[in-house]
């Protein structure tokens, strides 16, 4: 039974004062004082910017921009610039650890033999007593394609469990399910080279400047070419300040907005009839679903003035070209899949697919959020984005793996459902890699209770993250720069991560740890790789003929061609930067599907006790659960703790001044934090970034309600109450979001 060796607060305190270290060789060591410079990509977001890491004495000591890589052309955001500072952090795990309440910090270093033997004996014991599915695995898509593929195979053939899922479940799955249902394929519809060619760019629920910073420059280029910008978001995020039309909608009302726009497109006949006729099916049913969504209705539900909705519909409907880019703002909902389908409906209705400057596209979040959702570590998936329940897919993958088809388990349950099954006592053991659910899942109290019920929990990470702190065994894995492999960027471009240094101390490469466990479980015959490239070679074959076909991609081609866009079914195939060329969609009949979407309310709505909407998300200098960025001094300086963004009108009603401590309470929990009074948020909504743990975790407040199809949690909508608890220092405004009083009126939320 896992227990806390120290209090949660002690753990949080441990992360408190960061170390403002000077790396060997000084800040960003001079190029003359290094051993080598390795071209690779950033370890953080799905933009996957290229850069050079400078190496001295097996340490990363600096970086240089890479001006030659076509995607970012030398550009990097603050995280990409400072990423090199994490490697030699004193918290870097150098040995496997075993829980020991008597040891300082609650863990003691152990040998690999001991850590692996204990892990394997616990797996065997739990599975013998409770069945194979009582041992689950959770994975993450900061991992390369090779590791994602390996984890999928490892869970099915070494652990023999159906219950494997991944942290993309919190991220990309609404987009994935919507894309598959409407377009037949799950990838960005275009390479980013199409963005500057669009006549109108619609950014829906994406804080581009902070979360996909390099994409901003593509949007600037579009604007330089005359494009108009529409933004739909409850906050005037930095990019929104320049919008031509800002739609400051109520959280959770995107499908009402998109449905209303579809209604207007039909009413005004701003449709591409030839495209609808030749390349789609289901148009009438989609129109029928929005028959009552007049602009007055839409305005009332979304809180956006009718004139602005009308103007957005006109712009989208009458522009020959256009791209709609969306992210978690529309996807983190109990109707995330519906929102994505209703966004795609707008692209299909106006023929905005398969041509330059046309597409509806999700902006992938995690580093390998694209590749990681293709190679079989989702609970219902086999490599190539195949269904694990499809007999032909099972037979093919069994052949590639050299196993009997019956050895491949069936579909398992999703990440949040795994945690719920742990809470109910049905799942007793867990192995996680590259995931920090104690911070990132909704309702942290519930998650912690679940983790404490595990009979065995093993974690593979390079830092002791807050979840790993509840582990019995922690296996010291590898940082991004300590291994090689491929990753697939938000554009769908497969790129190569190159190894800069070796894992320090006794830490091991992630994939070797999985091989070690498989070997000890007596399943080593399926995992005979000597190099990561051998894993990629098998992945290529496993993906062949699937929806996500990498067969024609080799490591050499990636190096030679600055990445290759999948699908790439043959060696001589050039790759596919733009999908659906000529209106051919990935269904047997080649037709895209309109999907009817009726508006539904969020799972939780405001009432007298919880009268304020809470939405959560990110800031530019922190990354996800913060395990890495909370250890990088200059990034911590930039945004050291969560702040609650609140509009002056609401703050005035609640007698709150900038910097005051406020208590935000939901049905799940309560947290105190400084208020940041900004005019850039709806007066009925507050925003808290989620990158911190313990009593600083926004997920103490969020709701476990899931989308019925994608099973993504509704991070973007909860009902809360807010009250002032004391005075504080004014928030240091490092990210000056307050809008210019002379800015175009369309972005001014004070008008609501
Ligand atoms: N700096 C930084 N960059 C990151 C990450 C990070 O942690 N830090 N994480 C990466 C990952 S994994 C992801 S998933 C992406 C996420 O990238 P984004 O999705 O762009 O980021 P979020 O902050 O989660 O939310 C985006 C926007 O949604 C808005 N929003 C909230 N509720 C609603 C709603 O109901 N409707 C609409 N239309 N908008 C709403 C918020 O105001 C916010 O501006 O970023 C990636 N890049
Ligand atoms: N309230 C709220 N909650 C959210 C969100 C939100 O918008 N609001 N967003 C959600 C989204 S979109 C996401 S993607 C999730 C992310 O949530 P998580 O996936 O839990 O967060 P990460 O910080 O990526 O955790 C990854 C862990 O993997 C480790 N790691 C990174 N790279 C490697 C590697 O190569 N090998 C190994 N072994 N370990 C590695 C890191 O050290 C870290 O401990 O959070 C979700 N949670
Ligand atoms: S935009 Fe993303 S990939 Fe590029 S430097 Fe920033 S975090 Fe890294
Ligand atoms: Mo994400």
């Amino acid at each position: 039974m896992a227990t806390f060796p120290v209090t949660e607060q002690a753990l949080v305190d441990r992360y408190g004062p960061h170390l403002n270290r000077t790396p060997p060789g000084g800040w960003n060591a001079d190029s003359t004082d290094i051993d080598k410079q390795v071209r690779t990509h950033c370890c953080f977001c799905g933009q996957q910017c290229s850069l050079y890491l400078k190496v001295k004495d097996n340490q990363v000591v600096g970086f240089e921009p890479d001006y030659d890589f076509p995607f970012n052309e030398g550009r990097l955001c603050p995280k990409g610039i400072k990423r090199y500072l994490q490697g030699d952090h004193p918290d870097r795990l150098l040995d496997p650890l075993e829980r020991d309440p008597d040891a300082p910090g609650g863990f003691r270093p152990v040998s690999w033999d001991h850590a692996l033997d204990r892990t394997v004996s616990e797996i065997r014991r739990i599975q013998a007593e409770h069945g194979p599915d009582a041992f689950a695995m959770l994975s993450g898509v900061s991992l390369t394609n090779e590791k994602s593929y390996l984890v999928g195979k490892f869970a099915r053939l070494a652990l023999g469990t159906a219950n494997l899922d991944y942290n993309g479940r919190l991220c990309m799955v609404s987009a994935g399910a919507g894309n598959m249902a409407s377009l037949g394929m799950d990838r960005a519809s275009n390479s980013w080279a199409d963005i500057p060619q669009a006549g109108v760019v619609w950014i829906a629920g994406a804080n581009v400047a902070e979360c996909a910073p390099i994409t901003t420059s593509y949007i600037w280029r579009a604007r330089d070419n005359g494009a108009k910008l529409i933004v739909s978001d409850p906050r005037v995020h930095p990019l929104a300040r320049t919008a031509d039309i800002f739609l400051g909608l109520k959280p959770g009302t995107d499908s009402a907005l998109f449905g209303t726009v579809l209604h207007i497109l039909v009413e005004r006949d701003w449709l591409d009839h030839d495209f609808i006729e030749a390349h789609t099916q289901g148009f009438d049913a989609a129109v029928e679903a929005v028959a009552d969504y007049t602009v007055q209705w839409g305005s009332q539900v979304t809180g956006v003035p009718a004139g602005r909705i009308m103007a957005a519909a006109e712009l989208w409907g009458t522009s020959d070209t256009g791209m709609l880019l969306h992210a978690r703002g529309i996807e983190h909902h109990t109707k995330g899949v519906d929102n994505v389908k209703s966004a795609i409906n707008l692209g299909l209705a106006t023929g905005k697919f398969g041509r330059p400057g046309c597409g509806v596209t999700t902006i992938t979040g995690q580093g390998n959020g694209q590749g990681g959702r293709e190679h079989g570590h989702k609970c219902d998936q086999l490599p190539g984005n195949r269904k694990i329940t499809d007999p032909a897919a099972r037979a093919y993958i069994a052949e590639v793996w050299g196993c009997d088809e019956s050895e491949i388990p069936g579909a398992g349950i999703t990440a949040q459902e795994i945690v719920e099954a742990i809470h109910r006592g049905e799942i007793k053991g867990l192995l996680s890699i590259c995931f920090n659910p104690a911070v990132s899942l909704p309702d942290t109290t519930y998650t912690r209770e679940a983790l404490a019920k595990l009979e065995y929990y093993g974690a593979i990470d390079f830092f002791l993250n807050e979840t790993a702190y509840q582990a019995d065994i922690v296996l010291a894995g590898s940082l991004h720069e300590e291994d090689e492999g491929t990753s697939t960027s938000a554009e769908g471009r497969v790129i190569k991560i190159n190894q800069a240094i070796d894992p320090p101390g006794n830490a091991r490469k992630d994939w070797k740890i999985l091989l070690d466990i498989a070997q000890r479980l007596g399943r080593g015959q399926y995992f005979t790789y000597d190099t990561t490239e051998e894993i990629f070679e098998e992945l290529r074959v496993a993906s062949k003929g699937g929806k996500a076909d990498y067969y024609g991609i080799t490591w050499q081609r990636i190096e030679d061609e600055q990445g290759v866009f999948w699908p790439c079914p043959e060696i001589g195939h050039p790759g596919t930067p733009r999908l659906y060329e000529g209106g051919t969609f990935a269904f047997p009949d080649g037709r895209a599907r309109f999907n009817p979407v009726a508006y539904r309310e969020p799972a939780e709505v405001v009432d007298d006790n919880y009268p304020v909407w809470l939405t959560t998300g990110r800031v530019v200098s922190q990354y996800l659960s913060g395990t890495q960025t909370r250890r990088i001094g200059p990034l911590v300086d930039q945004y050291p703790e969560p702040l609650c963004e609140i509009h002056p009108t609401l703050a005035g009603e609640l007698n709150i001044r900038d910097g005051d401590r406020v208590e935000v309470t939901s049905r799940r929990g309560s947290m105190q934090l400084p208020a940041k009074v900004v005019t850039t948020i709806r007066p009925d909504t507050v925003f808290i970034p989620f990158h911190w743990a313990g009593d600083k975790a926004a997920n103490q407040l969020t709701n476990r309600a899931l989308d019925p199809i994608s099973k993504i949690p509704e991070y973007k909508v909860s009902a809360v109450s807010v009250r002032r608890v004391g005075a504080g220092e004014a928030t240091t405004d490092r990210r000056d979001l307050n809008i210019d009083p002379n800015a175009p009126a369309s972005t001014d939320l004070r008008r609501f």
Side-chain angles (χ1 to χ4, degrees), residues 444-735:
T444 41
T445 308
Y446 182 90
T447 310
R448 263 203 324 269
E449 284 169 10
L451 291 167
K453 290 184 181 176
L454 283 168
E455 290 180 11
Y456 173 80
Y457 171 37
I460 306 175
D461 211 300
F462 42 76
F463 287 135
L464 196 57
N465 72 28
E466 291 76 7
T467 316
Y469 219 82
Q470 297 200 44
D472 299 288
I473 294 281
V474 184
L475 300 164
S478 48
L479 262 173
H480 202 253
E481 53 263 44
E482 295 163 5
D483 198 358
E484 60 178 347
T486 60
S487 171
T488 308
S489 75
E491 294 184 291
R493 189 197 298 257
V494 184
I495 49 151
K496 177 78 197 309
I497 311 297
N498 290 314
Q499 183 172 352
I501 54 170
D502 292 320
N506 293 316
R508 284 189 185 171
K509 291 186 179 177
D510 291 329
W511 64 276
K512 292 202 168 167
I513 298 172
L514 295 175
L515 263 56
D516 289 337
I517 299 173
Q519 186 72 39
R520 281 174 159 77
L521 283 166
R523 306 290 280 176
Q525 72 271 28
Y526 296 117
F527 302 90
T528 56
Y529 318 100
D530 290 320
T531 64
T532 334
E533 190 164 11
E534 287 175 24
I535 306 176
F536 186 77
E537 287 300 309
E538 188 179 300
L539 176 162
R540 284 179 55 217
V541 176
S543 76
K544 187 172 166 53
K547 288 271 184 187
D549 195 332
Y550 282 49
Y551 182 68
I553 305 176
T554 62
W555 277 17
Q556 190 60 50
R557 277 195 67 183
I558 297 171
E559 294 287 2
D560 295 346
E561 299 170 32
Q562 307 262 33
V564 181
F565 291 85
W566 75 264
C568 181
E570 299 298 336
I571 291 289
H573 189 285
T576 317
R578 183 184 304 119
L579 299 180
Y580 320 126
E581 291 271 9
T584 306
F585 293 89
F587 290 104
D589 62 4
R591 287 171 177 272
R593 270 55 172 163
F594 277 96
N595 281 292
V597 177
Y599 171 69
R600 287 182 279 129
E601 282 196 328
E604 186 174 77
V605 292
V606 291
D607 59 18
D608 289 347
N609 294 327
Y610 302 99
V612 178
W613 299 103
L614 165 71
T615 192
T616 60
R618 299 159 163 75
V619 296
V620 67
S621 53
Q622 293 290 337
Y623 189 66
L624 299 183
S625 70
T627 318
Q628 291 164 272
T629 47
R630 281 186 277 119
R631 289 186 166 91
I632 298 177
L635 297 179
V636 178
D637 286 343
Q638 205 171 326
Y639 208 112
E641 61 176 336
L643 302 173
C644 178
E645 288 184 11
I646 182 168
H647 189 274
T649 304
L650 180 59
E653 280 168 21
L654 300 172
N655 195 25
I656 292 165
R657 294 207 312 203
D658 186 58
D660 283 354
R661 282 195 82 70
V662 294
E663 186 175 69
V664 184
T665 305
S666 77
R667 288 187 176 81
R668 274 71 52 190
S670 181
M671 72 187 287
Q672 292 190 4
L673 74 172
K676 181 174 174 64
V677 179
V678 291
T679 55
T680 49
I681 187 163
R682 288 180 59 90
D684 55 5
T685 303
V686 293
F687 169 85
I688 305 177
F690 84 103
H691 312 286
W692 292 268
D695 64 3
K696 293 187 166 67
N699 277 322
Q700 295 173 100
L701 309 174
T702 50
N703 192 357
R704 280 187 285 122
L706 303 179
D707 180 293
I709 297 168
S710 70
K711 306 290 172 80
I712 207 166
E714 191 147 71
Y715 292 118
K716 292 293 187 264
V717 195
S718 326
V720 295
S721 64
V722 183
R723 73 179 182 98
R724 180 180 183 276
V725 289
E729 281 174 35
T731 58
T732 317
D733 199 352
R734 293 199 170 89
R735 324 179 296 142

Side-chain angles (χ1 to χ4, degrees), residues 328-350:
R328 305 312 82 72
I330 76 162
E331 299 163 25
H332 275 160
H333 294 275
T334 48
K335 49 185 181 291
V337 179
D338 275 359
N339 289 344
V340 172
K341 288 175 176 170
S342 60
I344 294 173
N345 284 348
L346 299 186
L348 296 175
T350 56

Side-chain angles (χ1 to χ4, degrees), residues 42 44-45 47-49 76-77 79-80 213-214:
C42 176
F44 293 131
C45 86
Q47 308 278 292
Q48 291 292 281
C49 297
L76 295 167
C77 85
K79 295 180 300 302
I214 306 310

Side-chain angles (χ1 to χ4, degrees), residues 254-264 266 282-294 297-298 301 338 341-343 345-346 594-600:
D254 295 273
S255 55
L257 175 68
F258 293 138
T260 302
V261 171
L262 181 60
H263 180 103
I264 300 169
V266 174
F283 178 65
D284 293 343
V287 172
E288 177 62 31
V290 299
D292 299 332
Y293 294 5
T294 60
W297 175 87
V301 173
D338 275 359
K341 288 175 176 170
S342 60
N345 284 348
L346 299 186
F594 277 96
N595 281 292
V597 177
Y599 171 69
R600 287 182 279 129

